[in-house]
Every structure is written in C-alpha cells, then in structure tokens.
Amino acid sequence: MKRLISTLILFLGLALSLVSGAAQAVEPDALIRNVTEEVLTILRQDKEIRAGDANRVADLVGAKVLPHFNFGHMTALAVGREWRKATPEQQKQLTDEFRTLLVRTYSNALTSYRNQTVQYKPFRMQPTDTDVTVRTQVVQPGAKPVGIDYSLEKNSEEWKVYDVVVGGVSLVTNYRETFATEIRNGGIEGLLKALKGKNQRGEITPATNAAK
Amino acid sequence: MAMDWCFRRRASAGLLAAVLAGGLGGCATTGNPRDPLEGMNRAVFAFNEGLDKAVIKPAAEAYQTAVPLPGRVGVANFFANVGDLLVGTNNLLQGKPGEAVTDFARVAVNTTVGILGLFDVASELGLERHEEDFGQTLGRWGVPDGPYLVLPFFGSRTLRDTAGLVVDSVYDPVYDVQNVATRNILTGTRIVDARAQLLAAQDVLETAALDRYAYLRDAYLQRRRSLIYDGAPPRIREDDAWREPQAQSLSGLEDPLRAATEPILVGAADVVVPAAEPAAIAAASPEAGSGEAMPVRATVPAAVDHDAPDRQGTH
C-alpha cells in the first residue's frame, strides 16, 4: 500500500513537471544541451548502435531529435526564393523528401560517433529574441574541433531548430545551389524527382551506400 | 635550400598556369558565377576521386586499421604542432596578436612538455587551437575569392586560396626537412593522416549529396567564408528570400551565393559600404532594369570580380 502511494506520488510529480514544462518554453541553449546529452548517452550505451545498426540510430533521431526541428522552414531555406512558386502540395512533398535526406545524413553522422565530447559555448539572449544561435563544439582526440551551431526560432512559445551549421557549413543552405540547378533544369517537379531518386537509392546503411 | 624554394615556387606557379590555361580552353558550365571553370573543375575532381579511390583512401583505411587510436592521435598532434607555427604567423599577419601568442605558446608547450608535439598538452591547458592559413589572411586583407578551382591532388581551392597554398607551402617546415627520405615519409604520413580523419565524413557526404561535386564546392566556399570571419560570418540576406514578398521581384537575388561576395575584409566593410547610392548602382547594373535597387547589391563593391557575370547572360 505504501508502495502504491509512493508510486502515485511519483507519477503525480512527473505529470506536474510535464505540465509546468509545457507552460514555460525551454530556453534554446538548454534545449540543445538536453537533446544532445540525451542522444549521446543513448549512443554510448546502446549496444546495437555501437555495433553499427543505422536503423536504430534513425529511430533514436526520430524520437528524440525530429520533434525539435522545423523542416518546413529548413526546406524553404534550402530552396530559396523558388519556394514561393511551389504549390502547397509541392512544398509538402519537398519538405517530406528533404526531411528524409537530412535525417539519413544526420543518423549516418551519428553512427560514426565514437570518442567525441561536446562543449557548449556561452550563450546569451534577450527575452524578446525569437531567432538565436546556440554554439557547440565537438572535440575528439587527434582531430580538429568541429563547431556545430544550431539556429533556432521561436514559434508560439516553442523553440525549433531551422538550421545546423557544421564546421561553418550549413547542412541546409549548402543545398541551395544544387536545388537551384535542379529547378532551372526541371522546375520544382524536377527537384522533387531528384530528391525522390536520391532517397530511394540511398539505403539507411552507410557502408553499402558508399559504393554509389 | 634556395634552389629548393625556387623549385617549389616554380612548380606551383607552373601548376597554376596549367590549371588556368586548361580552364580558359572553354568548357560547359551551369553558369554559376563563382565557378566559371566548372567543366574543367569537374574533370579534375573526377581525376582526384579516381586517385583517392585507387591509392589514398585505401592507404588511409589501412592506416586506421593498423595503428591504434592513441598512435593516430600522436601523429595527428605532431603535424598539428608543426602547423601551429604557420597558424600563429598568419594570425599575426591578420592583426590578431593575442591569438598568435596562444598559437606560439601552444608550440612551445607541445614541443617540450608534449614531447615533440605528440601530445596536445596545450589544449588540456585551455590554449585553444586555431585554424588559419595564408588564404584566410589574404581574405582578411580584402582579396576576393576569385573563381573556384579544383586543383589536382590538392582539391578544392579558390584562386585566392591557391595563392595562399603556394605561400604556406613555401614556409612549411615539413618541406624544409633536408633528408629526402625523411621528408617523403613525413609528407606521406601527413597525407594519410589527414585522409584518415575524413573517412567518416565521406560516408556522410555520400548520404547527403545529390551531386558530390556541387556539394563539396559549396561546402568549401561556405567553410572558407566562415573561417575568414573566425566562425561568425554575417548572415546572408538570401536566407530570407523565401519569405519576403519583395525579394522575388529583385533580380539581383538570382544567385544565392552572391551575397557571399560582400566585402570579405572585415574591417573594409565599413570602408566599402558607405551606402553606395542605391540609385547609382541600379543605373549601373544591367540586371536592375526594374529600377529597383536592393540592399544586398548595394553592399557589393564594384571591385569584387566574380560579381560581374550574370547568370542569365551566360546561360
């Protein structure tokens, strides 16, 4: 009986903390830190991931990381001004395909995670800010430290990532020239086709993909 | 020694001349104003990839398998320590004496306490490692990128960074080792070590890129811009083009990377920008036929060379 009560109290406490968490938006730097640490902990501990199971990494990314990303904004940013010429249906399809591509890339990068540690750079923001950058640095023995910067925007009390810049290279805007070329050659539909083709060709296992 | 210098300089200049001559031979391009030599660049890129696949990548993989991590870390640290001398010098040339002091302190600590640079003690002590080269120094001084180039063996550069590479290699301590065998071993090990560090990144590239050539090119250009601004480049205004209603009518936005051609020299931004009369620019710029001048164009100094060709014109 006592045990039941303490369990109930525990759940009540959890529920309360969830409610209060929802009422007050997590600060962007805390968000990045929490998600990063959570993912890194799982990456370090999960035996199947350590054995190179990319599908598991993809599941992990889907559960922990994706909810904090605004893929609509990311896709618009990558497509650039042609975005506004796309129909809502095309925009949705582009977003779906680009999400698949980015998630696979990101999962792939995480699979090769081994001895890295992440440092968080000092972060300051005004209470009124709605667009901020959280800077982190990945340190690994025997290699140059690599900066990973996250651009976040605040929409309806929630911060979402809309760009990730690795070593000075935006994973999003780096596609702009390629996308522009595809659109010039085949219109929005041409770009969609190219993205779909890429996503169909690429399996989730990086090792087999390298042969392309 | 002097002859050696001379040879290296001449070899580099010859390479550059060959590259440029090849490029002027005329090749199909997709009209990217930053990559006017795309046809030739793609050919060299294919050559480099072939070489990599046949020789360098297998060597790097063998190295990674054969040498345990602590050994590889030691090798990487050793070359990083040698490189820190040039990093410090370039920081001095860029007017960043504080960072240069850190770099030279790193060399002092790592060469002694870190046993000839095998251990990166300096980083443990909080002396941060920097990444500088003469190409960045030139960028700081206001030298524009020039056309994008893929050099045989060396890979992605711009014309400016090619010049930087030549200068850096003249002062590279490894190339100054007198004993030929030692020098060759050092050079080879450095290449293999550098390639081994990129093995993981290559998988990511394969997954990410629709077109590896374009992906690497654009990543290189973005990264160099970021490095020149020491990791905090100004925001590119095209990043908002997808949502701003007026952006669409501004034909100057045709090239998303054009904004990246804004004055590279950090200090010079103040010198060049003085609100260069939007109207005058609109009049001078053939593509601004609509009479609309946009802020991005106004910040692009006329001196920036790759600003000249217009995509519609070359297509």
Side-chain angles (χ1 to χ4, degrees):
Chain A
M1 187 61 191
K2 218 173 182 181
R3 187 153 188 178
L4 182 68
I5 290 174
S6 60
T7 314
L8 275 176
I9 290 173
L10 181 70
F11 271 104
L12 191 66
L14 267 179
L16 278 178
S17 66
L18 281 177
V19 169
S20 63
Q24 197 186 354
V26 185
E27 294 294 303
D29 55 332
L31 175 72
I32 295 297
R33 185 189 292 257
N34 294 344
V35 173
T36 305
E37 290 304 325
E38 196 178 355
V39 169
L40 291 190
T41 309
I42 298 175
L43 284 178
R44 284 192 196 108
Q45 290 168 354
D46 192 303
K47 285 199 182 69
E48 283 157 65
I49 288 177
R50 292 184 67 92
D53 186 342
N55 287 307
R56 251 186 112 81
V57 181
D59 290 346
L60 173 68
V61 169
K64 302 291 178 192
V65 182
L66 295 200
H68 305 290
F69 277 52
N70 181 349
F71 284 101
H73 188 172
M74 288 174 134
T75 314
L77 203 53
V79 174
R81 65 195 199 94
E82 299 290 331
W83 178 252
R84 300 172 61 255
K85 292 184 190 157
T87 65
E89 176 55 26
Q90 284 175 325
Q91 291 185 348
K92 189 186 165 297
Q93 287 185 36
L94 282 173
T95 306
D96 288 345
E97 295 297 335
F98 194 44
R99 180 198 287 121
T100 307
L101 183 59
L102 285 180
V103 169
R104 187 177 302 132
T105 305
Y106 189 65
S107 308
N108 197 328
L110 286 180
T111 320
S112 62
Y113 170 89
R114 284 291 177 271
N115 305 291
Q116 293 90 335
T117 50
V118 178
Q119 295 172 348
Y120 303 88
K121 302 216 171 150
F123 176 77
R124 234 178 287 127
M125 64 172 280
Q126 305 294 325
T128 51
D129 283 348
T130 56
D131 190 333
V132 298
T133 302
V134 176
R135 294 180 195 281
T136 71
Q137 198 172 42
V138 176
V139 184
Q140 48 189 337
K144 292 170 199 155
V146 179
I148 302 187
D149 299 343
Y150 300 87
S151 301
L152 298 99
E153 61 176 349
K154 194 178 191 178
N155 282 335
S156 57
E157 294 304 304
E158 202 179 13
W159 288 95
K160 293 224 174 184
V161 175
Y162 69 89
D163 196 3
V164 182
V165 179
V166 181
V169 180
S170 157
L171 295 186
V172 175
T173 63
N174 203 53
Y175 282 102
R176 210 180 267 153
E177 274 295 308
T178 315
F179 283 11
T181 307
E182 295 290 348
I183 291 176
R184 224 173 17 252
N185 293 339
I188 297 282
E189 286 302 319
L191 171 59
L192 257 174
K193 206 174 143 211
L195 278 171
K196 278 181 184 154
K198 170 76 189 168
N199 285 336
Q200 277 161 12
R201 270 199 312 278
E203 277 127 50
I204 249 170
T205 352
T208 55
N209 194 29
K212 187 207 134 184
Chain B
M1 176 75 179
M3 224 175 80
D4 188 36
W5 265 43
C6 220
F7 166 74
R8 249 188 276 136
R9 220 176 268 165
R10 216 181 304 150
S12 307
L15 174 71
L16 190 58
V19 164
L20 289 179
L24 295 175
C27 12
T29 79
T30 55
N32 184 328
R34 303 195 70 185
D35 190 8
L37 310 178
E38 183 173 341
M40 177 203 63
N41 281 342
R42 279 189 187 268
V44 180
F45 181 76
F47 167 78
N48 284 349
E49 281 208 317
L51 181 77
D52 180 66
K53 204 173 165 188
V55 183
I56 304 172
K57 190 182 176 202
E61 284 169 338
Y63 170 75
Q64 198 170 43
T65 315
V67 183
L69 183 66
R72 298 202 308 270
V73 170
V75 169
N77 285 341
F78 174 82
F79 288 113
N81 188 45
V82 171
D84 273 344
L85 275 174
L86 280 177
V87 173
T89 309
N90 276 301
N91 263 328
L92 270 186
L93 292 171
Q94 293 175 27
K96 295 185 285 189
E99 308 210 344
V101 166
T102 307
D103 299 325
F104 292 130
R106 283 180 55 85
V107 177
V109 171
N110 283 342
T111 307
T112 55
V113 187
I115 313 174
L116 296 177
L118 292 176
F119 298 91
D120 185 4
V121 186
S123 286
E124 313 269 324
L125 295 176
L127 293 168
E128 201 186 334
R129 186 173 160 189
H130 301 124
E131 188 169 350
E132 306 289 349
D133 52 61
F134 196 65
Q136 289 182 55
T137 301
L138 290 173
R140 280 260 171 178
W141 291 353
V143 178
D145 290 303
Y148 173 75
L149 298 173
V150 182
L151 305 181
F153 310 105
F154 294 96
S156 289
R157 291 291 187 281
T158 59
L159 185 57
R160 181 198 62 217
D161 291 341
T162 305
L165 174 71
V166 172
V167 172
D168 282 331
S169 59
V170 164
Y171 294 98
D172 190 331
V174 172
Y175 292 142
D176 280 338
V177 173
Q178 291 301 297
N179 182 307
V180 177
T182 313
R183 186 170 66 218
N184 288 344
I185 288 170
L186 283 173
T187 307
T189 312
R190 183 159 66 176
I191 292 170
V192 169
D193 162 58
R195 184 62 184 89
Q197 290 186 31
L198 291 175
L199 284 173
Q202 183 172 16
D203 279 342
V204 177
L205 170 73
E206 301 284 349
T207 321
L210 292 177
D211 171 0
R212 269 174 303 176
Y213 170 82
Y215 195 89
L216 275 179
R217 174 194 64 203
D218 298 335
Y220 176 80
L221 294 173
Q222 267 203 48
R223 175 161 172 75
R224 293 300 291 179
R225 180 170 183 270
S226 168
L227 281 173
I228 287 167
Y229 285 105
D230 287 335
R235 194 187 175 95
I236 296 177
R237 277 166 224 213
E238 269 79 357
D239 286 353
D240 298 318
W242 61 276
R243 63 170 142 206
E244 280 173 23
Q246 72 271 26
Q248 202 169 6
S249 62
L250 297 171
S251 52
L253 281 172
E254 183 70 20
D255 167 29
L257 280 169
R258 179 167 307 206
T261 63
E262 72 212 21
I264 292 297
L265 179 60
V266 180
D270 320 317
V271 185
V272 183
V273 177
E277 288 299 311
I281 288 193
S285 164
E287 71 205 60
S290 58
E292 286 169 287
M294 40 165 279
V296 175
R297 296 284 294 153
T299 59
V300 177
V304 175
D305 61 336
H306 43 243
D307 193 34
D310 177 15
R311 172 166 294 158
Q312 287 120 330
T314 51
H315 208 53

